[in-house]
Amino acid sequence: MKEKFRHAKTKVGEKSFNKIVKAGKILFAKSGYHSTSINDIIAKANVAVGTYYIYFNSKLALYHYLLDEYQEKIREAAREATQGLTTRREIEREGLKAFIMYAMKEPLAYKVIWESLFVNQDLFIDYYSRFSKSYIENLKKFKTEVREDIDLETVSFILMGIANFVGLQILFKDNPHEKDVDFVVNESMKLLDRGLFK
Amino acid sequence: MKEKFRHAKTKVGEKSFNKIVKAGKILFAKSGYHSTSINDIIAKANVAVGTYYIYFNSKLALYHYLLDEYQEKIREAAREATQGLTTRREIEREGLKAFIMYAMKEPLAYKVIWESLFVNQDLFIDYYSRFSKSYIENLKKFKTEVREDIDLETVSFILMGIANFVGLQILFKDNPHEKDVDFVVNESMKLLDRGLFK
DNA sequence: CCTGAATATGAATTAATGTTCATATTTCAC
DNA sequence: GTGAAATATGAACATTAATTCATATTCAGG
């Protein structure tokens, strides 16, 4: 494990930590992982090189940290959007919408996750494998609603594929709005209504 | 334009050119663009550095050359796999299978398209927008088979999403085989049979 | 205030790598 | 066979970038 970070133990340290994280978010999103140097990061964060290495022990470590944070945020957005809902159909709909809305608000997160395939393939595989597994567990809880004759792992990748690419469809638009999201979510649900649900 | 290559003018030169191309394919596919060095390439190709620069005037030049070659091959694979087929369902099935099989055989081709989001975002958008448009045109020809109550643009992105992510599912496996492809294609078609087709 | 721990600093180190070039060898059309 | 063009070679160059470390400063509990 080379991609480790270290929490600050002081208010001052925390400030430096946060400055580094913020700079990393902006720069990785703008220029990508390989084109962003530690130098760029510390310059933007207004911090010395040594300070960087107090909190992150490599360049990859910061990237890894951001990936985890974004994953958590996406999960959180989905959780909030679906809490209280009882039918799998409604959960799927609102989860899909929450994902696309998040991608619209934070296209950087979206980009960073996709890029991980080229930064570190293991990170990428790990990210989507974890997502798939949690998807499968959740789908299992709704046996009465979800078709039982389709492999759930495949279903999980299909649903991730739909979310990601329908998300792209929105991101390609010039000035996307919530109504655009509602539209594609609606259309997607038409397919899932007959194809996925009983 | 820095990404230029130069055809050999001799049998001997052609041999060197091909050795470089072959080495590039293997190494870029295994480690990705940034993690592969010119040194790695010439070592694998068994060629001197100077020889590399006779045929390609930069590292990017080789990558671009491979990109163009793969793009052509992808089109060809899809065309071959679906020619002669008459029902939209069969075209969709065989097109999906051909795409994943190709991605399995040439993972670089697959990676490269995703990577273009970070190399040149316009290229990426252009690629998928064009794909979507041609998908829509083709779907329109099968009004008797395809549901008419779903927006075709959304359908096109859904289908691209399924292909790409179910493809991922296969690529994540340790030693994927054709039977794995058949399996996920089958499962995907179950969803489309009820969800997309009449 | 004292003091050990935490944090900050940036020059120096180390390593990698893309590219050039002067020179040597080979090819092939004539 | 000849010679000009094509090809081959790899040491040298130039640049960039990640990481380390000795030293200085600041923090926070007692």
Side-chain angles (χ1 to χ4, degrees):
Chain A
M1 294 295 112
K2 287 255 82 183
E3 331 80 40
K4 268 289 170 56
F5 72 96
R6 175 180 158 295
H7 278 300
K9 296 168 180 172
T10 308
K11 292 279 159 108
V12 181
E14 205 176 328
K15 203 166 185 177
S16 294
F17 183 91
N18 289 332
K19 285 199 290 181
I20 292 167
V21 168
K22 189 175 178 182
K25 277 184 186 175
I26 294 169
L27 292 173
F28 283 144
K30 196 176 76 179
S31 315
Y33 179 78
H34 290 286
S35 301
T36 300
S37 69
I38 299 276
N39 242 316
D40 296 335
I41 294 169
I42 63 163
K44 182 141 208 129
N46 211 32
V47 150
V49 209
T51 307
Y52 177 93
Y53 283 94
I54 291 174
Y55 302 106
F56 299 93
N57 64 21
S58 71
K59 182 182 168 185
L60 189 60
L62 174 58
Y63 194 80
H64 199 334
Y65 178 84
L66 293 179
L67 200 60
D68 283 347
E69 191 182 300
Y70 282 136
Q71 178 165 21
E72 182 54 39
K73 288 251 183 72
I74 287 177
R75 279 238 174 81
E76 202 181 301
R79 209 182 308 126
E80 272 182 24
T82 58
Q83 75 179 352
L85 300 180
T86 50
T87 71
R88 186 68 210 174
R89 186 186 182 283
E90 275 313 301
I91 291 173
E92 215 54 63
R93 160 191 277 281
E94 295 308 318
L96 175 59
K97 179 174 174 180
F99 176 84
I100 299 175
M101 289 296 288
Y102 184 83
M104 232 173 71
K105 227 174 273 174
E106 299 266 12
L108 320 180
Y110 200 68
K111 211 173 159 183
V112 165
I113 292 167
W114 276 52
E115 191 185 20
S116 66
L117 176 57
F118 313 101
V119 174
N120 184 321
Q121 192 162 344
D122 289 337
L123 280 186
F124 180 83
I125 291 179
D126 192 59
Y127 179 86
Y128 280 110
S129 297
R130 222 186 295 176
F131 221 112
S132 167
K133 280 194 184 99
S134 114
Y135 228 133
I136 293 171
E137 287 313 307
N138 284 324
L139 286 170
K140 274 185 185 167
K141 295 175 188 158
F142 293 87
K143 286 197 175 172
T144 53
E145 288 184 56
V146 179
R147 282 174 66 176
E148 293 179 78
D149 60 329
I150 310 187
D151 172 57
L152 287 185
E153 189 185 65
T154 305
V155 167
S156 74
F157 277 91
I158 286 175
L159 292 174
M160 290 192 290
I162 291 176
N164 274 282
F165 272 71
V166 170
L168 276 189
Q169 186 188 2
I170 295 296
L171 291 180
F172 285 177
K173 293 189 188 302
D174 269 338
N175 203 13
H177 274 307
E178 185 166 355
K179 64 175 165 51
D180 298 313
V181 179
D182 281 325
F183 178 76
V184 298
V185 167
N186 254 332
E187 299 306 302
S188 302
M189 289 311 292
K190 286 181 190 172
L191 191 140
L192 294 181
D193 273 337
R194 288 199 203 161
L196 179 62
F197 300 111
K198 284 180 182 173
Chain B
M1 296 295 114
K2 287 254 84 182
E3 331 81 40
K4 270 288 169 59
F5 72 95
R6 175 179 158 293
H7 278 300
K9 295 169 181 171
T10 308
K11 291 279 159 105
V12 181
E14 204 176 326
K15 204 166 183 176
S16 294
F17 182 91
N18 289 332
K19 284 198 292 182
I20 292 168
V21 168
K22 189 176 178 182
K25 277 185 185 175
I26 294 169
L27 293 173
F28 282 143
K30 195 176 79 178
S31 315
Y33 178 77
H34 289 285
S35 300
T36 300
S37 69
I38 299 276
N39 240 318
D40 297 335
I41 295 168
I42 62 163
K44 183 140 208 130
N46 210 34
V47 150
V49 210
T51 306
Y52 177 92
Y53 283 93
I54 290 174
Y55 301 107
F56 299 92
N57 64 22
S58 72
K59 182 183 168 186
L60 192 61
L62 174 58
Y63 197 75
H64 266 248
Y65 178 83
L66 294 178
L67 262 196
D68 287 346
E69 191 182 304
Y70 281 134
Q71 200 147 351
E72 183 53 38
K73 289 249 184 76
I74 284 180
R75 284 216 186 90
E76 203 180 302
R79 211 182 306 127
E80 273 182 25
T82 57
Q83 75 179 354
L85 300 180
T86 51
T87 72
R88 186 67 210 173
R89 187 187 181 280
E90 276 312 301
I91 291 173
E92 216 53 66
R93 162 192 275 281
E94 296 308 318
L96 176 58
K97 181 174 175 180
F99 177 83
I100 299 175
M101 288 295 290
Y102 187 82
M104 228 173 73
K105 229 175 270 173
E106 301 275 9
L108 173 59
Y110 192 71
K111 275 186 174 180
V112 138
I113 294 163
W114 286 54
E115 195 172 26
S116 65
L117 176 57
F118 314 101
V119 174
N120 185 328
Q121 191 161 341
D122 289 336
L123 212 84
F124 179 85
I125 291 179
D126 194 58
Y127 179 87
Y128 280 110
S129 297
R130 216 179 292 183
F131 216 111
S132 166
K133 278 191 184 102
S134 116
Y135 230 132
I136 292 171
E137 287 312 307
N138 285 322
L139 287 170
K140 274 184 185 168
K141 295 175 189 160
F142 293 87
K143 285 196 173 172
T144 53
E145 289 184 55
V146 178
R147 284 174 63 177
E148 292 179 80
D149 60 328
I150 309 186
D151 172 57
L152 287 185
E153 187 185 66
T154 305
V155 167
S156 72
F157 276 92
I158 287 174
L159 291 174
M160 290 191 291
I162 290 175
N164 274 282
F165 272 70
V166 169
L168 275 190
Q169 184 188 3
I170 295 296
L171 290 180
F172 285 177
K173 292 191 188 301
D174 269 338
N175 202 15
H177 275 306
E178 183 166 355
K179 64 175 166 51
D180 297 314
V181 179
D182 280 325
F183 179 76
V184 297
V185 168
N186 254 333
E187 298 306 301
S188 302
M189 290 310 292
K190 287 180 189 171
L191 192 139
L192 295 182
D193 274 337
R194 287 198 204 162
L196 178 61
F197 300 111
K198 283 180 182 171

